[in-house]
Amino acid sequence: MERTLSIIKPDAVERNFVGQIISRFEAQGLRPVAMRMMHLSQKEAEGFYAVHSERPFFKDLVSFMTRSPVVVMVLEGEGAVARNREIMGATNPENAAEGTIRKDFAKNIEENSVHGSDSPENAAIEIAYFFRSTEIC
Ligand code: UDP
């Protein structure tokens, strides 16, 4: 069993896709074991994406991630990190495979509906960024 951090981003929450996105995780072997809706502050978004702070898209990304609420979740399952990335699809929806969340819901490379940790090491860091261990069921 492995855990990963998932975020349903503002563009998806705004368009009422929360339920459909969670259904896809559940149907494909990932179980939510912690969940919270929250409106990220600028500091929280900048801290979460600190690794991208030198990238040209950083400012716009922080502005997007703070413009309306997100849903943060811990997903658990066998190979959860890789499985989540498969279910999500490529960063740019134009390159995302058929049947992935980003192919079906993402607006563009920035407003791409979901975040998922990219390694088990980062998953542990990202889960701890949002959840205390007592909040994970
Ligand atoms: N992003 C962007 N422009 C780019 C690349 C990425 O706005 O050219 C945003 C997008 O929302 C993406 C996030 O930055 O999901 C993090 O980028 P990363 O390369 O880590 O992609 P991910 O792991 O989310 O697929």
Side-chain angles (χ1 to χ4, degrees):
M1 276 300 169
E2 193 174 75
R3 286 174 175 169
T4 190
L5 185 88
S6 168
I7 304 178
I8 304 178
K9 295 183 177 182
D11 68 289
V13 177
E14 286 164 2
R15 290 176 292 150
N16 257 356
F17 293 143
V18 171
Q20 290 187 69
I21 288 173
I22 293 173
S23 290
R24 290 186 179 214
F25 294 136
E26 291 182 324
Q28 293 175 78
L30 295 179
R31 172 183 297 275
V33 293
M35 195 182 302
R36 181 187 311 121
M37 180 174 262
M38 60 192 294
H39 197 148
L40 293 174
S41 67
Q42 180 157 337
K43 245 186 171 172
E44 286 168 331
E46 285 173 351
F48 184 75
Y49 280 120
V51 56
H52 293 309
S53 61
E54 301 303 319
R55 308 281 288 276
F57 58 80
F58 180 69
K59 209 162 164 259
D60 283 349
L61 176 60
V62 168
S63 159
F64 160 55
M65 290 298 290
T66 56
R67 85 170 176 221
S68 62
V70 298
V71 176
V72 292
M73 290 179 286
V74 178
L75 300 175
E76 187 175 83
E78 223 172 275
V81 170
R83 182 164 295 186
N84 183 35
R85 299 285 305 188
E86 276 175 33
I87 298 168
M88 289 163 55
T91 309
N92 186 343
E94 285 176 17
N95 303 326
E98 292 296 327
T100 60
I101 290 171
R102 283 169 165 170
K103 176 75 179 182
D104 293 341
F105 298 118
K107 289 167 96 168
N108 52 53
I109 192 170
E110 176 184 85
E111 301 198 18
N112 59 6
S113 301
V114 279
H115 167 84
S117 310
D118 63 4
S119 68
E121 296 72 29
N122 283 339
I125 293 166
E126 293 179 359
I127 289 169
Y129 193 79
F130 286 111
F131 295 99
R132 285 192 285 270
S133 58
T134 50
E135 293 177 306
I136 302 171
C137 301

